[in-house]
């Protein structure tokens, strides 16, 4: 029998507490996912109305300003997510290393564009690429709960975070393809090689958001789940909050 490449998760019902593992650092599976994924989903909420944003991000285990795991993002000061953060700093992030492109279905749908036809699965190479979700490289999703803070405008921390964020989101010659997703690759804005991200990071009005990681949940494609909590970075227990249950407090 083949030895599993990753330790198994806790096979417990997702609607119950899974006895979260407490540590001063993020689980290695989450760190690997954060280092490999291109984007994450940021969930904010205000007045009981949730809002989801697709974000560039930078993960750091610590900074000169925050001695615990953080995630850096940037935002327009007039955006919906910024307004939500000002009224409610609690956020939830979703990051995964799964291939998100939907494979062709058994019943052809002529109205669906952007996916290969069923015939594409006949080659072994196409089958490998289309089914990569089940490989060792594509195994988990991570829900991360934390508290966001908008860094003071013009501060040393803001300059430091913008520089690190720009370095982490400057890519090679194919970056323009990803930048076009945000409508920035073909408008002449930004530097060559950065996929248009510089205008979202270095602009004078752009604000830096730092999320201090508190806790989270790992889920694999088979349904296994594992909860975890940062011992010295979060305030999950100190302020009377209950342990997360299926990502909900």
């Amino acid at each position: 029998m083949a030895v599993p490449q990753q330790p198994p998760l806790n096979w417990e019902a997702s609607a119950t507490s899974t006895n979260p593992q407490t540590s001063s650092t993020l689980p290695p599976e989450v760190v690997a996912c954060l280092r490999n994924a291109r984007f994450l989903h940021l969930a904010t909420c205000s007045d009981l109305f949730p809002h989801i944003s697709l974000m560039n991000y930078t993960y750091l285990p610590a900074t000169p300003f925050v001695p615990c795991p953080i995630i850096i993002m940037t935002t327009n000061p007039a955006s919906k997510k910024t307004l939500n953060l000002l009224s409610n700093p609690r956020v939830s992030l979703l990051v995964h290393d799964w291939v998100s492109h939907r494979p062709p279905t058994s019943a052809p749908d002529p109205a669906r564009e952007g996916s290969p036809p069923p015939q594409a699965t006949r080659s072994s190479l196409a089958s490998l690429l289309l089914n990569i979700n089940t490989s060792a490289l594509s195994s988990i999703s991570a829900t991360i709960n934390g508290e966001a803070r908008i860094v003071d405008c013009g501060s040393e921390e803001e300059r430091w975070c913008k520089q690190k964020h720009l370095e982490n989101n400057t890519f090679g010659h194919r970056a323009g393809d990803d930048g076009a997703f945000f409508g920035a690759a073909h408008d002449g804005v930004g530097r060559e090689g950065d996929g248009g991200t510089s205008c979202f990071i270095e602009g004078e009005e752009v604000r830096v958001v730092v999320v201090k990681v508190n806790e989270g949940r790992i889920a694999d494609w088979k349904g296994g789940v594992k909860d975890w909590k940062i011992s010295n970075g979060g305030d999950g227990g100190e302020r009377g909050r209950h342990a997360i249950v299926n990502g909900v407090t």
Side-chain angles (χ1 to χ4, degrees), residues 135-170:
S135 72
L137 295 177
S138 301
S139 56
I140 70 163
S141 66
T143 299
I144 300 171
N145 299 323
E147 188 163 334
R149 172 175 57 90
I150 298 179
V151 178
D152 292 339
C153 187
S155 65
E156 180 63 27
E157 182 181 11
E158 183 188 60
R159 290 189 290 270
W160 189 92
C161 289
K162 280 188 176 182
Q163 180 61 34
K164 291 296 182 181
H165 192 37
L166 185 62
E167 291 173 0
N168 189 60
N169 287 279
T170 300

Side-chain angles (χ1 to χ4, degrees), residues 26-44:
L26 296 185
E29 306 99 310
V30 177
V31 172
C33 196
L34 286 168
R35 294 196 184 282
N36 292 327
R38 177 69 172 86
F39 305 106
L40 61 71
H41 295 82
L42 166 67
T44 60

Side-chain angles (χ1 to χ4, degrees), residues 55 72-79 81-82 85-86 149-155 158 161-162 165 199-210:
M55 305 290 291
I72 300 171
M73 293 171 283
T74 51
T75 181
N76 185 309
S79 67
K81 57 181 172 291
T82 302
L85 291 174
L86 291 173
R149 172 175 57 90
I150 298 179
V151 178
D152 292 339
C153 187
S155 65
E158 183 188 60
C161 289
K162 280 188 176 182
H165 192 37
C199 62
F200 294 101
I201 298 175
E202 292 187 304
E204 292 184 1
E205 294 185 353
V206 171
R207 301 303 304 274
V208 173
V209 176
V210 171

Side-chain angles (χ1 to χ4, degrees), residues 41-70:
H41 295 82
L42 166 67
T44 60
C45 187
S46 180
D47 297 325
L48 301 180
F49 286 95
H51 179 74
I52 299 289
S53 303
L54 186 64
M55 305 290 291
N56 290 300
Y57 70 94
T58 296
Y59 159 72
L60 294 172
T63 76
F65 310 93
V66 183
C68 57
I70 66 159

Side-chain angles (χ1 to χ4, degrees), residues 60-199:
L60 294 172
T63 76
F65 310 93
V66 183
C68 57
I70 66 159
I71 294 172
I72 300 171
M73 293 171 283
T74 51
T75 181
N76 185 309
S79 67
K80 176 65 175 176
K81 57 181 172 291
T82 302
L83 299 178
N84 284 354
L85 291 174
L86 291 173
S87 63
N88 178 12
R90 291 182 177 178
V91 298
S92 187
L93 313 174
L94 175 67
V95 62
H96 65 83
D97 59 2
W98 296 353
V99 177
S100 60
H101 196 281
R102 181 171 177 163
T105 58
S106 57
D109 183 359
R112 202 175 113 204
E113 300 178 356
S115 291
Q119 294 88 334
T121 61
R122 293 175 182 173
S123 73
S124 58
L125 177 59
S127 296
L128 174 64
L129 295 175
L130 290 173
N131 293 302
I132 198 171
N133 275 4
T134 59
S135 72
L137 295 177
S138 301
S139 56
I140 70 163
S141 66
T143 299
I144 300 171
N145 299 323
E147 188 163 334
R149 172 175 57 90
I150 298 179
V151 178
D152 292 339
C153 187
S155 65
E156 180 63 27
E157 182 181 11
E158 183 188 60
R159 290 189 290 270
W160 189 92
C161 289
K162 280 188 176 182
Q163 180 61 34
K164 291 296 182 181
H165 192 37
L166 185 62
E167 291 173 0
N168 189 60
N169 287 279
T170 300
F171 306 99
H173 67 281
R174 295 191 61 189
D177 296 336
D178 289 336
F181 186 84
F182 287 96
H186 305 296
D187 60 3
V189 180
R191 293 195 294 263
E192 181 180 358
D194 70 1
T197 58
S198 62
C199 62

